[in-house]
Amino acid sequence: MDGFTIRPVFAKRRLRIIQAAACLFTERAYADVHVDAVAVAAGVAKPTLYRYFATKEALFIEALECALDELRHEIRALRAGTGSVECRLRRVVACMLDRVGRLTPAIRAVEGQSSDFGERSRTVLRNGFSALKEEIGALLVDGTEMGVFGRFDLDVAVLVVLGGIRMAAHSSAGNRDVADAVADFLLKGLRARGDTPARGSRTDVGILAS
């Protein structure tokens, strides 16, 4: 009987710790986040936190994974939202600029690490951004199928969108004017013009739709 009543409490407490850590890691540089502060934000005692996470590094990896997963769900919801595909792309760009911008201190913290911790963190980043690429690709497919966007190499287009957002986020997090400028630039390149695809270009935009 206890197993059915205690485990959900443990799971909720663990999730609360991860979410508190994710919030702090997206607000401060890695070195400036202390376990004591995470424990206070999560509303647990420090020894309790260590029962769930033996090290700050382990907590960071879980928090980073949580932040990227939440961003993926936000992007999916925006893609399925109301308005034209162009409006939805603008919302996605603004959301990603804000969220990725806030993740920048965490991303910088792992980029220079050569330890096992650094490798595991980079794996989380690769997987997280791979999932984001799928969501962006699905939105671009929507636009192409509606005739709003032209035909293009989908893999390259997704990389351009995600790469542009990541570069802008590193220096302009939260700047709405930058979000609009990035969206304008991307939409200008994506809009249908009635052009014939160049020889050898990939036009199968359905590859990420499934």
Side-chain angles (χ1 to χ4, degrees), residues 32-163:
D32 294 334
V33 177
H34 303 289
V35 173
D36 306 62
V38 177
V40 170
V44 300
K46 189 174 177 181
T48 300
L49 186 150
Y50 276 121
R51 283 203 295 271
Y52 290 89
F53 300 97
T55 65
K56 174 181 169 180
E57 289 83 358
L59 178 56
F60 172 82
I61 290 171
E62 291 264 5
L64 182 60
E65 192 169 28
C66 175
L68 289 169
D69 191 54
E70 287 181 352
L71 176 56
R72 177 174 64 86
H73 285 293
E74 285 187 71
I75 299 306
R76 180 174 293 177
L78 290 172
R79 180 206 166 205
T82 58
S84 68
V85 69
E86 292 185 333
C87 287
R88 281 179 280 151
L89 181 61
R90 287 185 180 279
R91 294 180 196 133
V92 165
V93 170
C95 177
M96 289 192 66
L97 273 173
D98 177 57
R99 302 296 187 274
V100 175
R102 283 196 263 163
L103 278 172
T104 294
I107 294 172
R108 286 176 176 163
V110 301
E111 283 177 342
Q113 295 282 343
S114 58
S115 61
D116 177 61
F117 158 60
E119 184 52 44
R120 284 183 291 141
S121 300
R122 284 190 289 273
T123 298
V124 169
L125 282 172
R126 284 195 297 270
N127 292 341
F129 279 108
S130 178
L132 293 179
K133 281 170 27 178
E134 291 182 10
E135 297 299 333
I136 294 171
L139 180 58
L140 298 187
V141 168
D142 291 345
T144 298
E145 291 179 346
M146 294 175 185
V148 177
F149 298 155
R151 296 174 69 83
F152 43 75
D153 186 304
L154 184 60
D155 291 336
V156 172
V158 170
L159 287 175
V160 168
V161 173
L162 185 57

Side-chain angles (χ1 to χ4, degrees), residues 188-209:
K188 184 176 181 180
L190 289 168
R191 285 191 181 101
R193 298 185 182 85
D195 298 333
T196 301
R199 183 182 298 276
S201 64
R202 190 166 66 78
T203 58
D204 180 12
V205 296
I207 190 169
L208 293 181

